[in-house]
Amino acid sequence: MTVIKLITKINAPVLHVFDLSRNIDFHMKSASQTSEKAIAGVTTGLIGSGEIVKWKGKHFGVWLTHTSKISKFNPPYFFVDKMIEGKFSSFVHEHHFSQKDDYTLMTDSLSYKVPYGVIGKLFDKLFLKGYLIRFLEHRNAALKSSLESANI
C-alpha cells in the first residue's frame, strides 16, 4: 500500500475550506488539466455523506473512470472518499480540517494499492505516486488561492 500525506495551511475559516474541498464544480475546475468531469451520481454542487460520484478523466493519455463514495462525514472537520469502482485495487482519500487561530490546516491522506503485481508496484514507484502528489498539490494550491483571494 502506498500512502501520501500532504498538509496545507489556508488562511480561511474551516467551514469554507471543508465546503470547497467537497465541491464537485470546483474539483472539475481545479482538475481541468485532466479534463476531469463528474458523469454520474452527484455531478454538481456539494457532495455529502453516503453520496457517490463517478469521474471521467484523462490520465497518462488514457480515459479512465473512478467512482467514489463519501464513506465517512463529520462536518467541518473530516470526510473520506473511498473508491467503489476503478482501476486501483483500493483507494481511500481522507480529508482532515482543523481550525487554528486565523487559518485552517487541511491534511490529505491518500492510501491506495495498485493492481498488476510487480509491474504495478514498479509503475507506482516510477510514475504514479509522483503524479498523484502533483495532482493533489495542484488541487490544494487552487483551493488555497481561491479561498485566500476571496478574503472571507
Side-chain angles (χ1 to χ4, degrees), residues 74-95:
N74 182 21
Y77 304 107
F78 179 73
F79 72 94
V80 175
D81 60 270
K82 183 176 181 181
M83 182 194 78
I84 57 174
E85 183 181 330
K87 296 296 182 190
F88 292 87
S89 297
S90 69
F91 187 100
V92 178
H93 187 178
E94 296 182 9
H95 307 257

Side-chain angles (χ1 to χ4, degrees), residues 5-19 21 74-79 94-108 147:
K5 187 173 181 178
L6 299 176
I7 299 173
T8 307
K9 179 182 174 184
I10 301 175
N11 294 314
V14 68
L15 181 59
H16 294 223
V17 180
F18 179 84
D19 282 346
S21 294
N74 182 21
Y77 304 107
F78 179 73
F79 72 94
E94 296 182 9
H95 307 257
H96 297 266
F97 309 88
S98 59
Q99 180 74 56
K100 302 301 179 187
D101 296 322
D102 58 345
Y103 64 91
T104 297
L105 279 183
M106 178 177 74
T107 304
D108 290 281
L147 288 162

